[in-house]
Every structure is written in structure tokens, then in C-alpha cells.
Amino acid sequence: MQILDGKALAKKIEQEVTDEVNRLKEVCGCTPGLAVVLVGQDPASAAYVAMKKKACDRVGFYSITHDMPEKISQEAIEKTIMMLNNDTNVDGILIQLPLPAHIDTTKLLELVTPEKDVDGFHPFNVGRLTTGLDGFVPCTPLGVMELLAEYNIDVKGKNCCVVGASNIVGKPMASLLLNADATVEICHIFTDDLKKHTLNADIILVGVGVINLIKEDMVKDGAIIIDIGINRADNGKLVGDVDFENVSKKCSYITPVPGGVGPMTISMLLSNTLKAAKLNAKKIKESK
Ligand code: GUN
């Protein structure tokens, strides 16, 4: 069994992004910028946003967090997003999810200009992903694909079982795998007999937020296990959705939690923001 070391790969990608940022600063005097919209007091969201900000600082991006109170109106957030759409210092806009119940999340995600949609959540970019066109791809599934590529794992023709059908992880994960010629099954909360599906899989990719959902009797010998879950166990430790101790004895590769997919998500946010900055710099140059 081999560990898929997301932490190490993320570090390598961060260095590449840093080098590219320095080059951009020299060549065109531009600094990639990321704006984050954070609404309310959810501690997990605040922690994720703090990690994203720190990563931006490490690679030399400009970053700004719009910290908004829980009871803020839809209109006030919309105004902020429109302002960020027009701000030339901002290349990427990220609305941290989930938002409070009174907010229309879909409407906000659709308001972000697709060129700054570094989370890949705008229907324009979702459509480009499902049709196999270039665009912005959600960071977590993109990070999984990078991690597989780093270990020369080709998904072509492989049976992949994606467990979880969210817009953030499961659905884009399935699209990326399909675009890479995998055979893809998507299982979810209403799937009857999950084990029947996972047992058939060469690669299991799970991100639903249920501790120990994937147990050793659900995994075939030599399978590849990608754990996208992040949960806080009773003892305070971070754990994924896979029973790591027992499943790791049976599989060929597995991602740990922490240190697997999590760091890759952050590094893909950095590379998506860099990509947006380059596109925006090119557009500004062409318009001159
Ligand atoms: N909430 C949980 N994951 C994510 C993510 O990747 N992006 C955003 N914006 N919010 C999230």
C-alpha cells in the first residue's frame, strides 16, 4: 500500500505558483488577487478561509476577505460581488459555502463573473466542465486529479465509484473522471446497497462527511481509495470518511486525512487564481 501524499504535492505546486507570481510581477507588474466573501460565524468556514488567506500570502498574492455578519441582506452581498467583478485588483472571487439559509446561494454564484470564478461554481464553468471544455474547475476534484496524475495513476477504462453527489465535489469529480475516459458511477444518500457498488470499483472517491462510511469489506483487493471527507472525531482528531486503519491494509493506494486531498484543494485555488490573473492580464493588454 502506498500513501498518496497530498501535502508534499501541494508544497511542490505552491513553489511553482510562487515562481510564476514572481515572474508575472517582473514581466507585467501585476499581482494576482483573490477576494473571499465570508458570511456568518461558522467556525469551519472561518478556519478554511484563514487557511486560504495564509496560502495566498505565502505565494505573494494580493488577498482580501469580506467578512460579513450572519444577518446581512442578499442585496448587500450582491453589491459586494458586483464591486469585486469590476475591481481590477481582484482576479478571483470565492464565496465561502455554505451561506446562511435566508441567502439565495445560486443567485450569488451566478452573479460572479465567470472569468473570476476560481471555485468553478458558476453554471457557465459547470457547463464547460461537463462538455470537456477549458474553464475553471472546482478545486477539490481538480486536486484529486492532480494527485492521481502525480502518482501516474491513469483512470482510463477504470471503474470509478464516486460516493457523494454534491455540486462542490461529487458531480465535478464524476465529470473530470468521465472526461479522462473512466467508467463512472455516482452513489449518494439514496443509493441502495452502497457496498455492491464500491466492491466493483477500481477507484473509490468518497466525500460525504460520514466517519468510517467505507469499511474494509466494501473494498476490493488492490483498489485505490481517495478520501475527500473531513470530519472531527470524538477525540478531536481530523478523520475522513474511510476506516483508514483497516482499509489501508487492502488497497494499493490511499489518501490520508489530514495530508491527502485537503492540501490539494488549497493549492488548486492558488493555481486557479493564477490562471485567472493571467487571463485577465492578457485581456487588459489586448484592450490597450
Ligand atoms: N465550502 C466547502 N468547500 C468549499 C469550496 O471548495 N469552496 C467554497 N467556496 N466553499 C466551500
Side-chain angles (χ1 to χ4, degrees):
M1 181 276 295
Q2 197 179 346
I3 294 280
L4 297 170
D5 189 344
K7 197 175 166 189
L9 178 56
K11 203 172 163 194
K12 194 166 111 181
I13 292 169
E14 236 185 63
Q15 187 55 54
E16 287 165 8
V17 171
T18 307
D19 293 345
E20 192 58 14
V21 170
N22 290 335
R23 195 189 65 85
L24 266 186
K25 283 179 183 172
E26 250 181 56
V27 172
C28 68
C30 35
T31 302
L34 176 71
V36 176
V37 175
L38 173 65
V39 184
Q41 303 293 323
D42 177 51
S45 287
Y48 289 136
V49 166
M51 283 197 284
K52 290 169 185 178
K53 165 125 189 63
K54 271 191 196 161
C56 285
D57 292 346
R58 286 197 299 271
V59 297
F61 286 178
Y62 160 74
S63 78
I64 181 158
T65 304
H66 289 263
D67 216 327
M68 300 176 167
E70 180 86 24
K71 293 205 180 325
I72 195 160
S73 68
Q74 174 84 19
E75 293 69 34
I77 310 178
E78 286 178 9
K79 257 192 184 167
T80 302
I81 293 170
M82 285 189 281
M83 184 263 294
L84 294 171
N85 279 342
N86 292 318
D87 185 342
T88 50
N89 290 316
V90 170
D91 297 295
I93 302 170
L94 182 151
I95 305 169
Q96 186 64 31
L97 303 180
L99 293 166
H102 70 281
I103 298 296
D104 183 343
T105 300
T106 307
K107 198 170 171 209
L108 293 184
L109 295 179
E110 282 189 288
L111 198 59
V112 174
T113 185
E115 293 84 22
K116 296 189 179 186
D117 175 34
V118 289
D119 250 336
F121 293 166
H122 190 291
F124 177 87
N125 283 313
V126 176
R128 294 196 60 95
L129 173 60
T130 52
T131 42
L133 296 171
D134 185 39
F136 289 105
V137 176
C139 302
T140 300
L142 184 60
V144 170
M145 296 307 284
E146 288 286 318
L147 195 52
L148 291 170
E150 175 73 5
Y151 286 83
N152 298 313
I153 297 168
D154 187 358
V155 303
K156 189 174 187 168
K158 295 271 178 11
N159 290 328
C160 296
C161 181
V162 178
V163 184
S166 68
N167 290 337
I168 295 180
V169 177
K171 287 182 200 166
M173 187 76 257
S175 289
L176 283 167
L177 291 165
L178 188 58
N179 291 348
D181 301 323
T183 302
V184 186
E185 271 193 291
I186 309 177
C187 296
H188 47 75
I189 189 107
F190 297 116
T191 298
D192 182 37
D193 196 358
L194 177 62
K195 181 176 167 179
K196 184 177 86 186
H197 299 275
T198 56
L199 262 182
N200 186 44
D202 303 308
I203 308 179
I204 300 171
L205 310 98
V206 56
V208 293
V210 177
I211 296 177
N212 289 340
L213 179 70
I214 305 298
K215 300 178 188 69
E216 65 184 307
D217 65 338
M218 298 168 75
V219 173
K220 77 172 175 186
D221 279 328
I224 296 167
I225 310 294
I226 306 295
D227 192 345
I228 313 172
I230 303 181
N231 312 289
R232 186 74 65 181
D234 288 340
N235 61 8
K237 280 194 179 160
L238 276 186
V239 295
D241 291 350
V242 176
D243 175 1
F244 184 90
E245 193 184 328
N246 295 307
V247 170
S248 60
K249 291 173 191 150
K250 257 186 120 173
C251 61
S252 56
Y253 293 91
I254 189 166
T255 58
V257 177
V261 175
M264 292 303 299
T265 297
I266 304 240
S267 64
M268 290 303 102
L269 175 64
L270 298 175
S271 69
N272 277 353
T273 305
L274 181 63
K275 175 177 172 171
K278 284 183 177 174
L279 287 171
N280 292 335
K282 195 168 160 227
K283 248 174 134 180
I284 290 167
K285 201 173 159 193
E286 280 166 4
S287 69
K288 274 183 187 162

